[in-house]
Amino acid sequence: ALWRPLVLVVAVAIIVGGWATYVISDYRTQQHDRAREILTRAAFDDAVEMGRWLDEGFTDASVMATQSGVAERYVRWQKGEDPTFPKMLADRLTAERDIREYDCISMFTKDEWPFATTTGERCSDRAFKCSDFASRVVDSEEPMFEDHFHNAVGAWCVAWSGPVRLDSSAPVVGVIVYTVQVRDSA
């Protein structure tokens, strides 16, 4: 007769234990689902933000390259008529860099020399920045984009360019290159 209460206690313990296990397991599943939902939403938002950031770089480079006066003043400078233009453009590029948090902004001439730049030699140092991009885009008729890893410094470089010319049918006189390290922006 003693075995009946013992069986009843064991049966109740099994039922309570099973129910507790189910509740705990269900709670963990809900927490995992919630975490997955939050991470998925965050990843989507980050992807949208990165897409916006990439588009913004194209826009900034194109707008700066096509701003009225840049090509005209560069041509006048070549003729010796506007000696203050390189300094004025470097100051303008520095202000743009500071406002938009780019790493470096430079205008390169057709012979691939930095004409005006925001941070002096750092912007044209091929081991550190994306100035090597300028040599491939200086003759481009369209804005361009590139990303690559610089082994010398372990940085992932992103660069946008915009051709500088008097108007859309005129030849390219130079290229504006915006650069940033992805790690800094991310």
Side-chain angles (χ1 to χ4, degrees):
L2 188 58
W3 62 274
R4 284 187 181 161
L6 187 57
V7 168
L8 183 61
V9 168
V10 169
V12 168
I14 290 173
I15 291 170
V16 169
W19 180 78
T21 301
Y22 170 76
V23 168
I24 291 170
S25 174
D26 186 53
Y27 177 75
R28 291 189 76 205
T29 300
Q30 289 175 7
Q31 292 301 316
H32 282 261
D33 290 345
R34 185 165 183 260
R36 186 178 299 111
E37 178 185 331
I38 291 169
L39 289 174
T40 300
R41 188 177 19 204
F44 176 78
D45 291 346
D46 288 347
V48 168
E49 182 63 23
M50 286 299 284
R52 185 197 61 75
W53 178 74
L54 291 170
D55 291 342
E56 190 175 88
F58 265 124
T59 301
D60 288 346
S62 295
V63 167
M64 179 60 75
T66 58
Q67 257 187 357
S68 72
V70 173
E72 292 90 348
R73 289 190 70 180
Y74 176 74
V75 170
R76 286 200 322 260
W77 173 83
Q78 281 183 314
K79 295 176 183 177
E81 299 171 1
D82 195 350
T84 63
F85 180 59
K87 173 75 170 114
M88 186 282 306
L89 183 58
D91 291 345
R92 174 66 181 94
L93 296 177
T94 299
E96 177 79 6
R97 182 205 63 198
D98 293 345
I99 290 168
R100 305 290 267 171
E101 298 180 354
Y102 287 98
D103 193 29
C104 184
I105 307 172
S106 298
M107 177 179 168
F108 290 86
T109 62
K110 292 287 285 178
D111 58 4
E112 302 171 19
W113 287 98
F115 172 73
T117 191
T118 56
T119 55
E121 293 180 25
R122 276 186 54 189
C123 283
S124 59
D125 182 351
R126 293 182 190 274
F128 189 72
K129 299 296 174 205
C130 292
S131 60
D132 49 342
F133 178 55
S135 66
R136 293 192 294 281
V137 300
V138 76
D139 290 321
S140 173
E141 298 292 320
E142 300 295 326
M144 295 183 70
F145 169 82
E146 181 177 280
D147 66 322
H148 61 278
F149 186 72
H150 279 289
N151 288 326
V153 292
W156 196 272
C157 180
V158 176
W160 299 267
S161 73
V164 177
R165 55 184 158 208
L166 293 170
D167 60 51
S168 60
S169 62
V172 174
V173 297
V175 63
I176 297 281
V177 176
Y178 280 58
T179 63
V180 71
Q181 302 303 323
V182 172
R183 179 174 46 214
D184 297 342
S185 296

